[in-house]
Amino acid sequence: AVSPSSVYRVLAGAGLLRRWNRKPSKKGTGFQQPLKAHEHWHSAIGYITPNDKLEGRAETILAERDAKLAAAREIRKTKRKAS
């Protein structure tokens, strides 16, 4: 006799248990952990770390974020028009 867990393991290994052959989830692949002491997980897009503010990088960081957001908006607009 073969145990149900062995059957499941074999079928899962062969890819036969995936419903409708879905693509694997990309959930959790976009976030990178901070590596340095003064890198923070920002709770809001407008948040600037105290260290960046003190060293005068706040305006540059906010300008870069605004440019990235504008580019993302344009990409979304073109994707919506194409649909």
Side-chain angles (χ1 to χ4, degrees):
V2 179
S3 71
S5 61
S6 296
V7 172
Y8 179 83
R9 194 172 356 102
V10 169
L11 291 175
L16 298 174
L17 293 180
R18 279 188 237 132
R19 253 191 195 177
W20 306 293
N21 290 327
R22 285 188 267 181
K23 294 179 185 174
S25 174
K26 291 183 181 180
K27 190 173 185 179
T29 59
F31 182 76
Q32 294 179 1
Q33 295 263 345
L35 301 174
K36 299 177 194 167
H38 292 289
E39 286 184 6
H40 292 276
W41 297 349
H42 300 296
S43 59
I45 194 72
Y47 182 77
I48 300 291
T49 62
N51 195 33
D52 289 335
K53 184 77 169 174
L54 289 172
E55 293 182 8
R57 294 189 298 251
E59 290 78 19
T60 306
I61 291 171
L62 289 174
E64 288 173 358
R65 288 182 190 169
D66 287 341
K68 287 179 185 177
L69 286 172
R73 282 188 199 106
E74 289 300 318
I75 290 170
R76 284 195 302 271
K77 279 183 188 177
T78 55
K79 283 185 179 180
R80 277 191 225 126
K81 287 181 183 178
S83 298

